[in-house]
Amino acid sequence: PHSAILEVAAASYKRLFGVDAQVKAIHAGLECGLFLLKFPYLDMVSFGPTLRGVHAPGEKLDLASNEKFVKLLVDVVTNFK
């Protein structure tokens, strides 16, 4: 729960959207777990747009949430040192 990248991501979210980010550990972090096996020293967060029906026929991406995701990603990458 205490990491440099998480602090930057949470601060970016608050600055951009005016509310605190909901930080949770969920199943969707699978890729982070795989990277961590190979590189145990990495500091990682996983975030993305809203998806529905994931990994199934008819999977859908919420386009409005994708725009929000892109803004957040750019801000996190720009502000992480």
Side-chain angles (χ1 to χ4, degrees), residues 14-41:
K14 176 84 172 191
R15 184 175 48 259
L16 291 171
F17 309 119
V19 295
D20 291 330
Q22 294 182 23
V23 177
K24 303 175 187 178
I26 61 171
H27 171 72
L30 174 66
E31 292 81 2
C32 283
L34 293 174
F35 280 114
L36 200 58
L37 287 174
K38 184 81 172 164
F39 306 101
Y41 52 85

Side-chain angles (χ1 to χ4, degrees), residues 3-80:
S3 78
I5 190 67
L6 178 57
E7 288 177 16
V8 170
S12 289
Y13 193 94
K14 176 84 172 191
R15 184 175 48 259
L16 291 171
F17 309 119
V19 295
D20 291 330
Q22 294 182 23
V23 177
K24 303 175 187 178
I26 61 171
H27 171 72
L30 174 66
E31 292 81 2
C32 283
L34 293 174
F35 280 114
L36 200 58
L37 287 174
K38 184 81 172 164
F39 306 101
Y41 52 85
L42 288 179
D43 187 14
M44 297 176 275
V45 293
S46 178
F47 61 97
T50 300
L51 301 170
R52 299 200 194 324
V54 179
H55 306 304
E59 178 175 336
K60 299 212 184 325
L61 164 70
D62 180 296
L63 289 177
S65 74
N66 193 57
E67 289 178 29
K68 191 174 179 180
F69 163 69
V70 171
K71 286 180 186 177
L72 181 59
L73 177 61
V74 169
D75 199 72
V76 170
V77 170
T78 302
N79 290 293
F80 189 70

